[in-house]
Amino acid sequence: MRRGKIKSICLTNRSGIIIDENEQTISFNRLEDLDLELNEAVFFEIEMKENGLEAVNIAKMQISP
């Protein structure tokens, strides 16, 4: 899985952008309700969709105390 941070979120169409560890921007459609926040660290996979690469299977990184 890849790692990144949430760069932007559009609440209207439930989509956004993730910046990965290599500074690549990857869009996502937040079909599932993950309650993501800006700058939140996430794991994700990428798939080729109609409009290019898209982040899928997004999961929040759990930070242990």
Side-chain angles (χ1 to χ4, degrees):
M1 293 193 98
R2 296 176 83 160
R3 296 178 185 194
K5 287 190 177 183
I6 303 296
K7 173 73 173 176
S8 68
I9 298 173
C10 178
L11 297 176
T12 305
N13 61 7
R14 302 173 52 96
S15 64
I17 296 175
I18 295 173
I19 302 291
D20 74 3
E21 294 175 311
N22 300 319
E23 300 296 320
Q24 181 179 8
T25 59
I26 302 165
S27 64
F28 68 91
N29 287 314
R30 199 166 53 129
L31 302 176
E32 66 282 350
D33 201 7
L34 290 175
D35 193 31
L36 299 172
E37 297 179 13
L38 291 178
N39 297 314
E40 185 162 25
V42 293
F43 290 114
F44 62 98
E45 296 175 351
I46 57 171
E47 288 183 0
M48 182 58 82
K49 301 284 186 166
E50 291 177 11
N51 297 326
L53 292 177
E54 186 174 302
V56 296
N57 300 327
I58 301 168
K60 294 180 179 184
M61 282 189 196
Q62 299 298 324
I63 301 172
S64 53

